[in-house]
Amino acid sequence: MPLPPDFRWQRAAATAPEKDVIAFEGVWVVRLYQDHWGGPYFAALDQHLPREQQTCRPCSTHQQGRAGAELWIERHQARLRLEIQQQRRLIAATPSPKVP
């Protein structure tokens, strides 16, 4: 299933062998990872939120993780867009600290 046009697969690091992050306008929302080489894959959801609000789901394979992540994005895209826009508004409204 293709992602909505404003969501993109990208690599978390330049050395990553596969695209393992879905980002909305540069903000990570899903990350696929392994705890150790050859171990099972996991999907970390809601990466834009504080750690205690994120969810982690096991994946049988990287490809199944990608497919599940794309379905999850499809279902949650409106909420994700809204939350990230709210975060950006809050950051823009926060005054910069004064440096002596």
Side-chain angles (χ1 to χ4, degrees):
M1 163 177 280
L3 289 170
D6 44 356
F7 289 84
R8 302 255 188 275
W9 277 106
Q10 62 187 46
R11 285 179 168 80
T15 57
E18 301 175 281
K19 293 181 178 180
D20 51 359
V21 168
I22 299 176
F24 169 73
E25 297 180 352
V27 178
W28 292 11
V29 291
V30 176
R31 180 175 59 96
L32 298 179
Y33 69 95
Q34 290 175 292
D35 279 336
H36 58 277
W37 183 259
Y41 280 93
F42 296 91
L45 309 173
D46 288 318
Q47 288 284 286
H48 63 293
L49 297 176
R51 184 173 299 275
E52 61 273 2
Q53 295 176 18
Q54 297 175 14
T55 305
C56 185
R57 298 281 186 257
C59 308
S60 54
T61 65
H62 188 268
Q63 285 307 101
Q64 288 298 317
R66 283 181 63 98
E70 290 173 355
L71 288 171
W72 184 83
I73 291 291
E74 183 67 32
R75 287 193 306 268
H76 295 272
Q77 62 180 309
R79 175 183 63 83
L80 295 167
R81 284 187 185 97
L82 179 64
E83 289 174 351
I84 292 169
Q85 289 168 355
Q86 288 172 338
Q87 287 176 349
R88 288 183 171 157
R89 276 190 234 117
L90 180 63
I91 291 167
T94 303
S96 299
K98 295 190 181 202
V99 179

